[in-house]
Amino acid sequence: MMLIVLFAVLLALIFLGVPIILTLGLIGLGGILLVPELVLALYPQKMFSTLDSFSLLALPYFILAGELMLRGGISRKLVDFAETVVGHLRGGLAQANIVASMVFSGVSGSSTADTSAIGSVLIPAMKEKGYKAGYAAAITATSGTIGAIIPPSMTMIVYGALANVSVGGLFLGGIVPGILIGLALMGVVYIQSRSASRYPEMQTGDGQFSARAVLRASLKVWAALLAPLIIVGGILGGVFTATEAGVVACVYSFLISFFVYRTIRLADLPRILLAAAMTTCMVSGIIALAGGFGWLLAYLNFNKVVLSTILGLTDEPMVVFALLMAAMLVLTMFVDSMAVLIIMVPLAVYIGQTFGLDQFQLGVALVMATQIGSTTPPVAVLLFVASSIAKCRYSETVRFVWPFIAAEILVLVLVMLFKPLASAIPQWALG
């Protein structure tokens, strides 16, 4: 009964628009006060123990690296590179949007940052070329989800810390699924471009493909393109851990923005550091409170209750995996995706261990589900961000987003069915 009351109040507060950090704090605190044998001092203790994680040390460094890259104007250069590579195709700007997001994801580590940075450059350009504002917003939001899947990834750092899974392994596990999502979205654009009546703006590309132009564009943006290779290559080669990779990313981001592109000055650093610190504090606060709430759920045997319910339905691991992913997709339609991930991690890991699911496959799939949820109405943060940039109604963006969501769900199903897609690289690299 206590569990039902806690979850009912949790969902009610979220639907009423109460900030998630305040919601988790109130529910966790109220739950401890309602259990007679628990003392209040346990709550801050469990919050601190959640943050006392080596994996979470990477979080502020990657956030700072992302801020340096964003303020350094790297997005404009990456967009120019993407247009040079695929701009000649039918629906060239739409294809460039996806390619730019795939490349920028290796720099920002955040789907929101990816959507904002790429959208601010490409959405106005797409509208000028005749693309409907809602369509431009929809493709920008869905391609922005790759930002949390291709390494580095803020979401994977959070998951790795809470689930006690190697963050480096999760980074490596996201490479193939992230690329597959990009290719699937490009496939949707290609199919749509074959319909001249519905998408007349996609019938011509921008110029012709030129290897020389691609080479010139690569020379202009080589420093930014090198960033994800350094991070992934360093982890693969055992040169540094995922946490140390965050420090490397910070130093590298500053060097190329300050010395190579000269787009930031020393006077800009206080503002950049403040923005990174604010983001870090916000994310850390949510993680800490969710950790306390998760401990309370474990104490009340929430995991065992859910597991016994599942066992009453089926004992097939793949069916259980599918049920877990379906629950994540449904929940993220109504609740903030990061909040769902943080709350569900202990349960998901418990179920995964019980049924022998691969830890990297499970982690990557859960992160993918949260990102798909970020574009699935009614609560879809990335759609709101992209619609704001496109200056169009949210309902207009929703009208165009469904084929792209279907493509992302298809890739999620493939990751669930074929374990090597998410686990082969980390198992090879980490032994």
Side-chain angles (χ1 to χ4, degrees), residues 226-256:
L226 202 57
L229 296 179
I230 290 174
I231 294 169
V232 175
I235 296 173
L236 271 173
V239 180
F240 41 71
T241 65
T243 300
E244 293 164 344
V247 180
V248 173
C250 279
V251 174
Y252 184 78
S253 301
F254 173 75
L255 291 177
I256 65 170

CSV table of all heavy atoms in Angstrom, one decimal, residues 226-256:
chain,number,residue,atom,x,y,z
A,226,LEU,N,38.4,15.5,-34.5
A,226,LEU,CA,39.3,14.6,-33.8
A,226,LEU,C,38.9,14.4,-32.4
A,226,LEU,O,39.4,13.4,-31.8
A,226,LEU,CB,40.7,15.4,-33.8
A,226,LEU,CG,42.0,14.5,-33.6
A,226,LEU,CD1,42.0,13.4,-34.6
A,226,LEU,CD2,43.2,15.4,-33.7
A,227,ALA,N,38.1,15.3,-31.8
A,227,ALA,CA,37.7,15.1,-30.4
A,227,ALA,C,37.1,13.8,-30.1
A,227,ALA,O,37.6,13.1,-29.1
A,227,ALA,CB,36.7,16.3,-30.0
A,228,PRO,N,36.0,13.3,-30.8
A,228,PRO,CA,35.5,12.0,-30.4
A,228,PRO,C,36.5,10.9,-30.6
A,228,PRO,O,36.4,9.8,-29.9
A,228,PRO,CB,34.2,11.9,-31.3
A,228,PRO,CG,34.5,12.8,-32.4
A,228,PRO,CD,35.3,14.0,-31.8
A,229,LEU,N,37.3,11.0,-31.6
A,229,LEU,CA,38.3,9.9,-31.9
A,229,LEU,C,39.3,9.8,-30.8
A,229,LEU,O,39.7,8.7,-30.4
A,229,LEU,CB,39.0,10.2,-33.2
A,229,LEU,CG,38.2,10.2,-34.5
A,229,LEU,CD1,39.0,10.6,-35.7
A,229,LEU,CD2,37.5,8.9,-34.7
A,230,ILE,N,39.7,11.0,-30.2
A,230,ILE,CA,40.6,11.0,-29.1
A,230,ILE,C,40.0,10.3,-27.9
A,230,ILE,O,40.6,9.5,-27.2
A,230,ILE,CB,41.1,12.4,-28.7
A,230,ILE,CG1,42.0,12.9,-29.8
A,230,ILE,CG2,41.8,12.4,-27.4
A,230,ILE,CD1,42.4,14.4,-29.6
A,231,ILE,N,38.7,10.7,-27.6
A,231,ILE,CA,38.0,10.1,-26.4
A,231,ILE,C,37.8,8.6,-26.6
A,231,ILE,O,38.2,7.8,-25.7
A,231,ILE,CB,36.7,10.8,-26.2
A,231,ILE,CG1,36.9,12.3,-25.9
A,231,ILE,CG2,35.8,10.2,-25.2
A,231,ILE,CD1,35.6,13.2,-25.9
A,232,VAL,N,37.2,8.2,-27.7
A,232,VAL,CA,36.9,6.8,-27.9
A,232,VAL,C,38.2,6.0,-28.0
A,232,VAL,O,38.4,4.9,-27.5
A,232,VAL,CB,36.0,6.6,-29.1
A,232,VAL,CG1,35.8,5.1,-29.4
A,232,VAL,CG2,34.7,7.2,-28.9
A,233,GLY,N,39.2,6.5,-28.8
A,233,GLY,CA,40.4,5.8,-29.0
A,233,GLY,C,41.2,5.7,-27.7
A,233,GLY,O,41.8,4.6,-27.5
A,234,GLY,N,41.2,6.7,-26.9
A,234,GLY,CA,41.9,6.6,-25.6
A,234,GLY,C,41.3,5.5,-24.7
A,234,GLY,O,42.0,4.8,-24.0
A,235,ILE,N,40.0,5.4,-24.7
A,235,ILE,CA,39.3,4.4,-23.9
A,235,ILE,C,39.6,3.0,-24.4
A,235,ILE,O,39.9,2.1,-23.7
A,235,ILE,CB,37.8,4.7,-23.8
A,235,ILE,CG1,37.5,6.0,-23.0
A,235,ILE,CG2,37.1,3.5,-23.0
A,235,ILE,CD1,36.1,6.4,-23.0
A,236,LEU,N,39.4,2.9,-25.8
A,236,LEU,CA,39.7,1.6,-26.4
A,236,LEU,C,41.1,1.1,-26.2
A,236,LEU,O,41.4,0.0,-26.0
A,236,LEU,CB,39.4,1.7,-27.9
A,236,LEU,CG,38.0,1.4,-28.4
A,236,LEU,CD1,37.8,1.8,-29.9
A,236,LEU,CD2,37.6,0.0,-28.2
A,237,GLY,N,42.1,2.1,-26.3
A,237,GLY,CA,43.5,1.7,-26.2
A,237,GLY,C,44.0,1.6,-24.8
A,237,GLY,O,45.1,1.2,-24.6
A,238,GLY,N,43.1,1.8,-23.8
A,238,GLY,CA,43.5,1.7,-22.4
A,238,GLY,C,44.4,2.8,-22.0
A,238,GLY,O,45.1,2.7,-20.9
A,239,VAL,N,44.5,3.9,-22.7
A,239,VAL,CA,45.3,5.1,-22.4
A,239,VAL,C,44.8,5.8,-21.2
A,239,VAL,O,45.5,6.2,-20.3
A,239,VAL,CB,45.4,6.1,-23.6
A,239,VAL,CG1,46.3,7.2,-23.2
A,239,VAL,CG2,46.0,5.3,-24.8
A,240,PHE,N,43.4,5.9,-21.1
A,240,PHE,CA,42.8,6.5,-19.9
A,240,PHE,C,41.4,5.9,-19.7
A,240,PHE,O,40.8,5.3,-20.6
A,240,PHE,CB,42.7,8.1,-20.1
A,240,PHE,CG,42.4,8.6,-21.4
A,240,PHE,CD1,41.1,8.4,-21.9
A,240,PHE,CD2,43.3,9.2,-22.2
A,240,PHE,CE1,40.7,8.9,-23.2
A,240,PHE,CE2,43.0,9.7,-23.5
A,240,PHE,CZ,41.7,9.5,-24.0
A,241,THR,N,40.9,6.1,-18.5
A,241,THR,CA,39.5,5.7,-18.2
A,241,THR,C,38.5,6.7,-18.7
A,241,THR,O,38.9,7.8,-19.2
A,241,THR,CB,39.4,5.5,-16.7
A,241,THR,OG1,39.5,6.8,-16.1
A,241,THR,CG2,40.4,4.6,-16.1
A,242,ALA,N,37.2,6.3,-18.6
A,242,ALA,CA,36.2,7.3,-19.1
A,242,ALA,C,36.2,8.5,-18.2
A,242,ALA,O,36.0,9.6,-18.7
A,242,ALA,CB,34.8,6.6,-18.9
A,243,THR,N,36.5,8.4,-16.9
A,243,THR,CA,36.6,9.6,-16.1
A,243,THR,C,37.8,10.5,-16.5
A,243,THR,O,37.6,11.7,-16.6
A,243,THR,CB,36.8,9.2,-14.6
A,243,THR,OG1,35.7,8.4,-14.2
A,243,THR,CG2,36.9,10.4,-13.7
A,244,GLU,N,38.9,9.9,-16.7
A,244,GLU,CA,40.1,10.6,-17.2
A,244,GLU,C,39.8,11.2,-18.6
A,244,GLU,O,40.4,12.3,-18.9
A,244,GLU,CB,41.3,9.7,-17.2
A,244,GLU,CG,41.8,9.3,-15.8
A,244,GLU,CD,42.7,8.1,-15.8
A,244,GLU,OE1,42.8,7.4,-16.9
A,244,GLU,OE2,43.3,7.9,-14.8
A,245,ALA,N,39.0,10.5,-19.4
A,245,ALA,CA,38.7,11.1,-20.7
A,245,ALA,C,38.0,12.4,-20.6
A,245,ALA,O,38.1,13.2,-21.5
A,245,ALA,CB,37.8,10.0,-21.5
A,246,GLY,N,37.2,12.6,-19.5
A,246,GLY,CA,36.5,13.9,-19.3
A,246,GLY,C,37.5,15.0,-19.2
A,246,GLY,O,37.3,16.1,-19.7
A,247,VAL,N,38.6,14.8,-18.5
A,247,VAL,CA,39.6,15.8,-18.3
A,247,VAL,C,40.3,16.1,-19.6
A,247,VAL,O,40.5,17.2,-20.0
A,247,VAL,CB,40.7,15.3,-17.2
A,247,VAL,CG1,41.7,16.4,-17.0
A,247,VAL,CG2,40.0,15.0,-15.9
A,248,VAL,N,40.6,15.0,-20.3
A,248,VAL,CA,41.2,15.2,-21.7
A,248,VAL,C,40.3,16.0,-22.6
A,248,VAL,O,40.8,16.9,-23.3
A,248,VAL,CB,41.5,13.8,-22.3
A,248,VAL,CG1,42.0,13.9,-23.7
A,248,VAL,CG2,42.6,13.0,-21.4
A,249,ALA,N,39.0,15.7,-22.5
A,249,ALA,CA,38.1,16.4,-23.4
A,249,ALA,C,38.0,17.9,-23.0
A,249,ALA,O,38.0,18.7,-23.9
A,249,ALA,CB,36.7,15.8,-23.2
A,250,CYS,N,38.1,18.2,-21.7
A,250,CYS,CA,38.1,19.6,-21.3
A,250,CYS,C,39.3,20.3,-21.8
A,250,CYS,O,39.2,21.4,-22.4
A,250,CYS,CB,38.1,19.7,-19.8
A,250,CYS,SG,36.5,19.5,-19.0
A,251,VAL,N,40.5,19.8,-21.6
A,251,VAL,CA,41.8,20.4,-22.1
A,251,VAL,C,41.8,20.6,-23.6
A,251,VAL,O,42.1,21.6,-24.1
A,251,VAL,CB,43.0,19.6,-21.6
A,251,VAL,CG1,44.3,20.1,-22.2
A,251,VAL,CG2,43.0,19.5,-20.1
A,252,TYR,N,41.3,19.5,-24.3
A,252,TYR,CA,41.3,19.5,-25.8
A,252,TYR,C,40.3,20.6,-26.3
A,252,TYR,O,40.7,21.4,-27.2
A,252,TYR,CB,41.0,18.2,-26.3
A,252,TYR,CG,41.1,18.1,-27.8
A,252,TYR,CD1,42.3,18.0,-28.5
A,252,TYR,CD2,39.9,18.2,-28.6
A,252,TYR,CE1,42.4,17.9,-29.9
A,252,TYR,CE2,40.0,18.1,-30.0
A,252,TYR,CZ,41.2,18.0,-30.6
A,252,TYR,OH,41.3,18.0,-32.0
A,253,SER,N,39.2,20.6,-25.7
A,253,SER,CA,38.1,21.6,-26.1
A,253,SER,C,38.6,23.0,-25.9
A,253,SER,O,38.4,23.9,-26.8
A,253,SER,CB,36.9,21.4,-25.3
A,253,SER,OG,36.3,20.1,-25.5
A,254,PHE,N,39.3,23.3,-24.8
A,254,PHE,CA,39.9,24.6,-24.6
A,254,PHE,C,40.9,25.0,-25.6
A,254,PHE,O,41.0,26.1,-26.2
A,254,PHE,CB,40.4,24.8,-23.2
A,254,PHE,CG,41.1,26.1,-22.9
A,254,PHE,CD1,40.4,27.2,-22.7
A,254,PHE,CD2,42.5,26.1,-22.9
A,254,PHE,CE1,41.1,28.4,-22.6
A,254,PHE,CE2,43.2,27.3,-22.7
A,254,PHE,CZ,42.5,28.5,-22.5
A,255,LEU,N,41.8,24.0,-25.8
A,255,LEU,CA,43.0,24.3,-26.7
A,255,LEU,C,42.5,24.6,-28.2
A,255,LEU,O,43.0,25.6,-28.8
A,255,LEU,CB,43.9,23.1,-26.8
A,255,LEU,CG,44.7,22.8,-25.5
A,255,LEU,CD1,45.5,21.6,-25.6
A,255,LEU,CD2,45.6,24.0,-25.1
A,256,ILE,N,41.5,23.8,-28.7
A,256,ILE,CA,41.1,24.1,-30.1
A,256,ILE,C,40.3,25.3,-30.2
A,256,ILE,O,40.3,26.0,-31.2
A,256,ILE,CB,40.4,22.8,-30.7
A,256,ILE,CG1,39.1,22.6,-30.0
A,256,ILE,CG2,41.3,21.6,-30.7
A,256,ILE,CD1,38.3,21.5,-30.7
